[in-house]
Amino acid sequence: MAENEYVPLFETRQVKGRILFRWNAVIRIPFIHRLSQRFGKELPGIDIFVCTANPLLEPPSMVVNTVLSMMAYDYPPEKLSVYLSDDGGSNLTFYAMLEAANFSKTWLPFCKKFKVEPMSPEAYFRTASEPLNVQEWPSVKRLYEEMKMRIETTTKLNQIPEHIYKQHYKGFREWNFVTSKLDHQTILQILIDGRDTNAVDIEGNPLPTLVYLAREKRPQYHHHFKAGAMNALIRTSSKISNGPIILNVDCDMYSNNSESIKYSLCVFMDEEKGDEFGYVQFPQSFDNLTKNDIYGCSFRVIQKLEVHGLDANGGPCFIGTGCFHRREALCGKKYEKNFRFDLKKLNNTKVNERASLLEETCKVLASCTFEHNTTWGKEMGLIYGFPAEDIVTGLSVQCRGWKSMFLDPERDGFLGVAPITLLQLLVQHKRWTEGHLQVFLSKYCPLLYGYKKIPLKLRLAYCAYNLWAANCLATLYYVVVPCLCLLKGITLFPKISSPWVLPFAYVAFSHHAYSLGEFLWCGGTFLGWCNDQRMWLFKRTTSYLFASFETILKLLGYSQLAFVITTKVADEDISKRYDQEMIEFGVASPMFDILATLAILNLLGSFGAIKKVTMHADKGFKVLDQFGLQILLCLVLVTINLPVYQALFFRMDKGKMPSSVTYKSIIFALLACTLAVY
C-alpha cells in the first residue's frame, strides 16, 4: 500500500429489503484497529451528557452506575468529560455523584486492568463470576456494595450524612437557597477537574472530568424538559472542555461496550467521508428483557432491518439516547461540501481558569434568561416544543445537509431498563407517538420541511413513524365493528365458499408468516412474536388513540405540552411477576378501561357467533359460510386478549385488573352490544 493511499475506517455492506425504509439497506462495519494505527493518541475530546430528572423515579444508585460506566471507556481519560444534568435539582443525586467520583478512583483502574465488560459495576458484578487468582475482585465488589448501600440508605432517609455535609459544605450549601425543584438557582460543581494534576486514581493515572449541573429553574420560565437540559449542557461544556464530539445517554443507559467511542470515531475521522456525518446513532437495547419479551420492548425487527434502510437513504433518525453528535452540527452549523474538519486539532479547549472561577463563569450559561432572544431551541441545539424533541432535532440536522449513520456492533453499545408494567409501556409509547404526530402536523413535517433537503425516500420513511398514532383508527375499526356486526347479523367479508375470500386469506396469511419469519430471523422466539403482536394491538387501541386526542387538543389550544418520565423502579412483587412473564395491570387507568372493554366486546361477539352455530344446527354451516372470517377475527382477538380475561376474572395477585376497571368494562361492553343489536 502506498504511503498516501486512502484506507477507509469503516466499510458499508449492502443488504436486501422489501419495503420503502428497507430499500438499499446497509450495514456499517468500523475498523477500530485502523483508527489506532493511523491516529494513535491524536484523538478528539469527548463530552458525555447524562440526563436525569427525578430521584424517586430514577434512583441515584442507577444514575451512578451509568456515570461510572461512561467514565470507564477505553479512551484517554484526559480527553473524556462526563456531565450529569440533574433536572430534579436533588441534593441526593449530588451526593451520589460525590460517591461516584470517589469510587471511580478504584473502579477505573480495575476496569482497565481486567478489561471489564460491561463497565457498570452493578451489571458487571451481577453477571460476571469471580475470576481465579484476582485478589482485587472481592475488595472492589465490597467497596461498590458499600457505596451502593450508603446511597440507597441516604435516598431512603432523604438526609445527607452529617460528616459528608461538612466535608463538602461548599457544594451542599447551594441547597440552602433552593425553594423547590422548579424554583432554584443554577448549581454547577466540577467534582473532578481533569486538568488538575492531583486528579488521579489509586494507581496515579489521570481521571476524566466529572461535572454536576442543575440548571436554573423559575416558575415563570418554561424549562423545555430534556431539550432544555441538553442545551444547557452544550453551552456549559463548551467553556469547560469543549469536546468536538458529544455523546448523550439517558440515566438508565449504561455503557456496555468499552470501544463504542472508537467505533463512532471511525465514522467522524474517516478522511474521505467522515466530514459528511452529523451524528452516529447506536441502537436502544435493554438488559432486563424476559426470554419472550413479554412487553415487546426490544424493537427487534425495527433495529435489525428497518433502521439500516434509513441509513442508506440519508441516515437514521436521532432516538434521544446512545447517540454521538458532532458539536458543530448540533449547534446549528450547516454542512459545507468543501469544508473539512480536523478533529485532531479540535481537542479539548484548555481553560486556564481555576475550577471555582470556571463554575461561576458557566452558571450564567445555564440560567433561565440566557436563551432569551437567541436561536437556541429553534436553530441551535435541540428543538423545543415537541415531546419527541430528538426526532425533530435529528431531522433538522439532516436538513442542514448532514448525514447520519447507524452502528450496531456485535456487542451492544448501551443497555437500558425496559418498562416492566403494561401501564409504563403504554404511557411511554403515548409520549413517543404523540411527539411523532405533532412533528408531522407542524412546520417540521418531513414532506415539507425536508423538501429538496433530504431524499424523498427518507422523508417518506419518517412519515411512516410520524403517522403511528393515526393507525389507531383502522385498528379500532377491526376490533370493534366486526364483532358488533356479527351480533347484528351484518356481513363484512366474502363468504367462505366465495373465491373472493382468497385475497383476504392470502394477505392475512402471507403478512403474518413473513412477520413471524422476520422476527425469528432477528433472534426472537415464537412466543416473543405472539407477545409482540399482542402489544401491537394494545398500543394501537390505547397509546395511539390517546396520543391522537392529545395532539388534536394541543392544536386547538386545550392542552399543554407535557413530558412524562417513565419510572425505573418497581417493588419486589412486580419484578417477580415480570420475571414470570405475567402482564402487570394493578392500577386503574383509562387505557385499561379501553383494553378491557374491547376484550369483553369480542368475547361477547364470539359467544354470540357460537350460539348461532350450535343452536341452529340446520343453519350452522350457512352461518359459518357467511360469517366465517368475522368469527375467525373475533376468535383471534379473544386469543390475543387471554391475559386480559385472566386479569379481569381469575388472577388474585396484586397485578390483576382493578375491580373498578372490571365493572366499568362489563357495563360499557354490554351497553355497546345492546345498542348494536337494537
Side-chain angles (χ1 to χ4, degrees):
M1 183 179 70
E3 182 177 351
N4 296 325
E5 183 180 349
Y6 164 72
V7 178
L9 291 176
F10 66 89
E11 178 181 280
T12 301
R13 294 183 181 177
Q14 202 83 23
V15 295
K16 295 181 179 180
R18 71 180 177 105
I19 55 179
L20 179 63
F21 39 75
R22 299 181 192 176
W23 284 352
N24 303 320
V26 295
I27 296 177
R28 315 285 191 171
I29 303 175
F31 303 116
I32 58 175
H33 65 283
R34 294 181 184 175
L35 180 76
S36 303
Q37 293 172 357
R38 192 170 307 174
F39 298 106
K41 294 185 178 181
E42 294 183 338
L43 298 172
I46 307 293
D47 289 347
I48 302 176
F49 298 166
V50 181
C51 295
T52 185
N54 190 318
L56 299 179
L57 302 181
E58 299 167 335
S61 58
M62 179 186 69
V63 178
V64 161
N65 275 277
T66 298
V67 168
L68 287 169
S69 71
M70 300 299 156
M71 296 176 70
Y73 270 119
D74 182 15
Y75 200 75
E78 64 275 9
K79 297 183 179 181
L80 204 58
S81 301
V82 180
Y83 295 79
L84 176 74
S85 170
D86 178 19
D87 255 17
S90 171
N91 59 350
L92 300 175
T93 304
F94 178 73
Y95 165 71
M97 288 302 100
L98 291 173
E99 290 280 8
N102 186 54
F103 182 67
S104 67
K105 298 176 182 179
T106 301
W107 179 245
L108 268 57
F110 177 77
C111 290
K112 183 177 180 180
K113 184 176 181 179
F114 299 105
K115 301 186 183 302
V116 167
E117 298 274 17
M119 294 94 78
S120 159
E122 179 70 26
Y124 176 72
F125 289 123
R126 184 181 68 241
T127 58
S129 56
E130 182 174 350
L132 299 175
N133 303 321
V134 177
Q135 297 178 352
E136 296 96 327
W137 202 91
S139 61
V140 173
K141 183 179 181 181
R142 184 178 66 256
L143 286 174
Y144 167 69
E145 290 176 344
E146 291 172 353
M147 178 192 70
K148 179 183 176 182
M149 184 177 295
R150 289 194 299 270
I151 293 174
E152 292 181 344
T153 301
T154 301
T155 303
K156 184 177 181 180
L157 297 176
N158 194 23
Q159 184 176 357
I160 307 299
E162 186 66 26
H163 68 283
I164 297 294
Y165 185 89
K166 291 180 179 179
Q167 184 179 353
H168 299 279
Y169 175 73
K170 174 180 174 292
F172 284 112
R173 71 177 179 180
E174 293 279 0
W175 274 269
N176 295 334
F177 309 100
V178 173
T179 304
S180 72
K181 69 176 183 178
L182 296 177
D183 189 8
H184 62 81
Q185 77 285 7
T186 299
I187 303 174
L188 177 63
Q189 293 285 316
I190 301 177
L191 304 179
I192 300 177
D193 187 357
R195 304 164 302 154
D196 188 352
T197 55
N198 295 321
V200 295
D201 60 31
I202 58 175
E203 295 185 357
N205 301 312
L207 289 169
T209 295
L210 179 61
V211 180
Y212 171 91
L213 172 66
R215 60 190 170 116
E216 183 186 18
K217 286 188 177 180
R218 301 299 179 191
Q220 63 270 33
Y221 293 98
H222 198 305
H223 60 273
H224 300 293
F225 311 108
K226 182 180 176 181
M230 282 283 292
N231 287 345
L233 286 173
I234 293 171
R235 295 192 295 271
T236 54
S237 66
S238 68
K239 295 297 183 183
I240 298 175
S241 53
N242 200 33
I245 303 298
I246 293 172
L247 164 64
N248 83 285
V249 294
D250 290 339
C251 63
D252 64 321
M253 297 290 293
Y254 66 82
S255 176
N256 186 59
N257 190 328
S258 62
E259 296 181 327
S260 294
I261 292 179
K262 294 179 180 178
Y263 282 129
S264 69
L265 290 182
C266 286
V267 178
F268 290 120
M269 300 187 73
D270 185 82
E271 290 91 337
E272 186 174 285
K273 300 180 179 180
D275 294 330
E276 301 175 358
F277 293 94
Y279 62 87
V280 176
Q281 179 67 64
F282 280 68
Q284 186 175 14
S285 304
F286 305 100
D287 73 344
N288 66 328
L289 298 178
T290 60
K291 179 182 178 181
N292 297 304
D293 191 11
I294 185 66
Y295 294 121
C297 294
S298 64
F299 307 110
R300 192 179 302 275
V301 174
I302 290 178
Q303 294 188 150
K304 294 296 182 182
L305 294 176
E306 293 183 4
V307 183
H308 292 289
L310 286 173
D311 194 345
N313 293 324
C317 52
F318 167 36
I319 62 173
T321 185
C323 188
F324 289 86
H325 305 264
R326 189 186 296 273
R327 184 181 285 268
E328 292 93 342
L330 199 56
C331 289
K333 184 179 180 63
K334 291 184 178 181
Y335 172 69
E336 300 173 2
K337 188 173 182 180
N338 296 323
F339 185 81
R340 298 193 64 82
F341 296 90
D342 190 350
L343 291 177
K344 292 185 292 183
K345 295 182 180 179
L346 289 174
N347 283 329
N348 296 25
T349 301
K350 299 299 181 181
V351 181
N352 295 322
E353 297 179 70
R354 291 183 292 109
S356 57
L357 182 59
L358 192 58
E359 290 170 352
E360 294 302 319
T361 304
C362 292
K363 284 183 179 180
V364 67
L365 301 176
S367 65
C368 292
T369 57
F370 183 86
E371 295 179 347
H372 187 59
N373 291 330
T374 71
T375 58
W376 282 99
K378 301 173 184 176
E379 299 175 12
M380 298 179 65
L382 273 70
I383 306 298
Y384 295 154
F386 300 90
E389 74 289 326
D390 46 3
I391 299 298
V392 70
T393 299
L395 175 63
S396 65
V397 169
Q398 292 172 332
C399 288
R400 289 196 291 268
W402 300 96
K403 293 182 180 179
S404 59
M405 183 182 288
F406 185 69
L407 286 184
D408 187 12
E410 184 176 349
R411 182 179 180 87
D412 290 323
F414 306 91
L415 290 176
V417 179
I420 65 171
T421 72
L422 181 58
L423 188 58
Q424 290 175 11
L425 175 81
L426 298 179
V427 170
Q428 184 183 70
H429 278 265
K430 172 187 170 294
R431 175 168 60 85
W432 290 349
T433 52
E434 182 183 347
H436 273 283
L437 186 57
Q438 287 182 17
V439 171
F440 183 80
L441 297 176
S442 72
K443 70 174 184 178
Y444 291 101
C445 175
L447 293 176
L448 302 177
Y449 186 70
Y451 181 66
K452 292 186 177 181
K453 298 176 183 177
I454 58 176
L456 175 61
K457 288 187 290 185
L458 183 58
R459 283 185 280 149
L460 293 174
Y462 263 106
C463 292
Y465 298 110
N466 291 159
L467 293 173
W468 266 352
N471 289 327
C472 68
L473 301 177
T475 306
L476 282 169
Y477 174 86
Y478 276 99
V479 173
V480 175
V481 175
C483 66
L484 293 180
C485 289
L486 189 60
L487 292 172
K488 185 67 174 178
I490 300 174
T491 305
L492 295 177
F493 301 105
K495 294 181 179 180
I496 298 296
S497 59
S498 170
W500 289 107
V501 78
L502 294 177
F504 289 88
Y506 171 76
V507 170
F509 175 79
S510 61
H511 169 73
H512 288 92
Y514 194 96
S515 172
L516 175 59
E518 276 186 336
F519 198 87
L520 296 176
W521 183 81
C522 291
T525 64
F526 175 75
L527 288 179
W529 176 77
C530 294
N531 290 329
D532 194 66
Q533 299 300 301
R534 178 179 294 115
M535 292 303 127
W536 173 87
L537 178 66
F538 286 2
K539 288 182 291 189
R540 288 194 175 199
T541 54
T542 56
S543 302
Y544 295 8
L545 179 64
F546 278 82
S548 299
F549 277 122
E550 284 284 345
T551 301
I552 294 172
L553 291 174
K554 183 178 183 298
L555 291 175
L556 295 175
Y558 293 107
S559 178
Q560 297 295 322
L561 178 65
F563 190 94
V564 180
I565 302 172
T566 305
T567 181
K568 308 300 189 303
V569 294
D571 62 38
E572 188 176 343
D573 288 341
I574 293 176
S575 298
K576 185 177 180 180
R577 288 191 290 271
Y578 176 70
D579 292 336
Q580 295 172 347
E581 298 197 329
M582 297 175 65
I583 295 180
E584 185 74 23
F585 297 93
V587 296
S589 167
M591 292 190 180
F592 291 163
D593 292 340
I594 294 175
L595 279 183
T597 300
L598 295 177
I600 294 176
L601 199 61
N602 279 277
L603 186 64
L604 294 176
S606 300
F607 285 158
I610 294 172
K611 179 182 177 182
K612 286 182 180 180
V613 173
T614 56
M615 294 188 67
H616 303 281
D618 56 327
K619 298 181 180 180
F621 289 106
K622 185 178 179 180
V623 172
L624 285 175
D625 183 42
Q626 187 174 2
F627 296 98
L629 286 183
Q630 278 172 261
I631 295 173
L632 178 61
L633 178 58
C634 285
L635 291 176
V636 168
L637 291 171
V638 167
T639 303
I640 290 175
N641 282 300
L642 285 177
V644 178
Y645 304 132
Q646 187 181 20
L648 284 169
F649 305 118
F650 303 109
R651 283 173 59 174
M652 301 303 294
D653 56 77
K654 293 182 180 179
K656 68 177 182 178
M657 197 75 80
S659 300
S660 60
V661 175
T662 303
Y663 298 145
K664 283 190 289 185
S665 61
I666 293 174
I667 293 172
F668 292 155
L670 289 174
L671 181 61
C673 291
T674 302
L675 293 175
V677 172
Y678 298 102

